Amino acid sequence: MNRKIIAFLCVMQMEMGFAAVQSDLKYVVHPDSVCQTIDNFGASDAWSMRFLGEWPEEKQRQVADWLFSCENDENGCPKGIGLSLWRFNIGAGSVEQGDSSQINYATRTECFLQKDGTYDWTRQKGQRNFLQLAKERGVTRFLGFLNSPPVYYTQNGLATNTGRGGSFNLKADCYEDYARFLAEVVEGLEAHEGIRLNYVCPVNEPDGHWNWIGPKQEGTPATNREIARIVRCMGKEFQKRQLRTQILVDESSDYRCMMGVYMTDWQRGCSIRSFFSPDSVDTYLGNVPNVPVMMAGHSYWTNTPLSSLRDYRKQLGDTLQKYKVKFWQTETCIMSNDEEIGGGGGYDRTMKTALYVARIIHHDLVCAQASAWQWWRAVGEDYKDGLLRAYSREDNKDGTVVDSKLLWALGNYSRFIRPGAVRLGISSWRGQDWIGEGDTNPEGIMCSAYKNTDGSYVVVAINYSLQDKAFLWEIAGQREKAFKAYRTSDVSNENLAPVVLDQKSPMLKARSITTFVVGDN
């Protein structure tokens, strides 16, 4: 191929924001270019830990090691992915209602609150066991989330919406009761389990249309004004009890509902502006005790096509910056529109799903500047919603759990980027020429860089392509950068496996994720 053709292709690729020719592309990490602080990586206990948390202890310990351990085995390989936050599903009481709950058996939850107003702290035993297993392995950050208020407070007496419309399924005279319940749960878990919930979110996907229909699982929609009312009640109650737990809003089901009005109306859309613009008098929460200026949202439905994956997150990042609001991505899994990997049905242990999710993580961190990234279910069944796959015995008293490449792919981030790390800017160069945003080729190389509080640097590089790629990189101002490398690929034993790569010109294996660590003693 002559030089004119090569030059033309390079120009076209740069104009598209891609860089298909990688051999002479160099990435430079800039320690003085701090983008955002990373608070945590996490996953939730829904709904499997209700059962798995009462399986034989050795099986519980294996699952806990996979999810939370920061230790290495005798071969120097990580035992687990070191999640730094654990999401605890505070139940609404559909288990106690049985079949009359109108909720699938596997997605019901117990409630600490009883009908007579007293509390039973022996409930949610399996989930409480995993709180302890997480704590034993170094997890110090816990988030309590609810899909519904307790059934004793709901308008229809159920934890599911049953097509009753788009308002909050909470009795008008129970807002203060609900706030007291949440405060009691925070205090009760600390008193009985030694676990302090650092965060509580009182609603989940209030703009999600599945919440309007039911029945399937616990859930309720809510308007922005209803959310503001319950959060204000919580702020008052938490302040009275001198609780340090922060109150999060609002676990939106779709980024587009955070930025504007999408498949809903003015009562539920534009949540960033509604909650954190002082002009939104009826719903402003920026002056409420215990409420950080931060939005929690879910990245469902926004991952395809590739142009939208990037554009939605760029728009989200711009909107957050406009209102000076921090952002956590608190839940996602594979849905029916994720057609590139066959949608959510059928569990996939391979790099197909792992790489697809890694690409989402990269864009959420780099384009939306998320300060936290949390997966939906830690353990799932025959669906692409679990980091691990459970095969339960018919009585749910025992079974087996297997790992997946998805688990280890998340570990390429969570195991090495620790709470308090900062994401650093990266510039890309071809010779002396600066290449726009060359750190993100969604069908080739995507890389991001971080500096931990201990001074170590971490670079995560995704090679989405079918070819091995050269990966030339350096840290600005540092002449040498001896690194350790950990790779996840479709090779059976490469699950965050330590690999020896050329220190000056490392190669990224096709369809792999590699984490480079500098200064890790």
Side-chain angles (χ1 to χ4, degrees), residues 295-369:
M295 285 295 302
H298 304 168
S299 69
Y300 298 114
W301 309 111
T302 60
N303 307 317
T304 58
L306 282 182
S307 58
S308 295
L309 171 70
R310 180 181 181 83
D311 291 347
Y312 288 145
R313 286 154 180 79
K314 279 290 191 181
Q315 184 183 353
L316 176 59
D318 291 343
T319 306
L320 292 161
Q321 185 176 25
K322 176 181 177 180
Y323 294 102
K324 298 180 173 57
V325 175
K326 187 175 176 178
F327 170 57
W328 280 14
Q329 193 293 121
T330 52
E331 187 184 307
T332 196
C333 70
I334 303 305
M335 305 299 278
S336 60
N337 73 323
D338 295 307
E339 297 175 354
E340 181 180 328
I341 57 170
Y347 196 69
D348 174 32
R349 298 182 66 192
T350 73
M351 288 299 291
K352 181 172 67 173
T353 296
L355 280 167
Y356 188 85
V357 172
R359 185 166 66 187
I360 297 170
I361 297 172
H362 174 87
H363 282 78
D364 281 336
L365 295 175
V366 172
C367 299
Q369 297 203 50

Side-chain angles (χ1 to χ4, degrees), residues 214-234:
K216 178 182 179 183
Q217 60 195 56
E218 294 185 350
T220 173
T223 67
N224 291 344
R225 290 186 180 185
E226 290 168 330
I227 295 168
R229 181 181 173 187
I230 187 56
V231 169
R232 287 166 178 162
C233 289
M234 290 175 64

Side-chain angles (χ1 to χ4, degrees), residues 443-465:
E443 296 178 299
I445 291 177
M446 292 161 274
C447 61
S448 55
Y450 310 83
K451 186 177 183 180
N452 283 310
T453 56
D454 65 2
S456 62
Y457 290 89
V458 177
V459 174
V460 184
I462 304 165
N463 182 6
Y464 212 90
S465 75

Side-chain angles (χ1 to χ4, degrees), residues 60 92 137 235 286 439:
Q60 292 186 49
R137 286 156 180 77
D439 60 341

Side-chain angles (χ1 to χ4, degrees), residues 58-121:
E58 68 274 13
K59 295 183 179 180
Q60 292 186 49
R61 289 196 295 269
Q62 175 61 80
V63 169
D65 282 345
W66 274 331
L67 294 172
F68 309 122
S69 178
C70 285
E71 297 181 352
N72 294 332
D73 63 19
E74 62 276 7
N75 299 315
C77 297
K79 288 183 178 179
I81 66 170
L83 293 179
S84 47
L85 178 138
W86 187 234
R87 288 167 54 85
F88 178 80
N89 184 194
I90 302 171
S94 51
V95 164
E96 289 81 358
Q97 292 184 319
D99 291 342
S100 64
S101 69
Q102 302 183 35
I103 292 175
N104 295 342
Y105 174 77
T107 62
R108 299 171 190 168
T109 66
E110 295 178 302
C111 187
F112 293 122
L113 180 64
Q114 301 182 99
K115 188 175 182 178
D116 63 1
T118 61
Y119 286 79
D120 182 353
W121 299 109

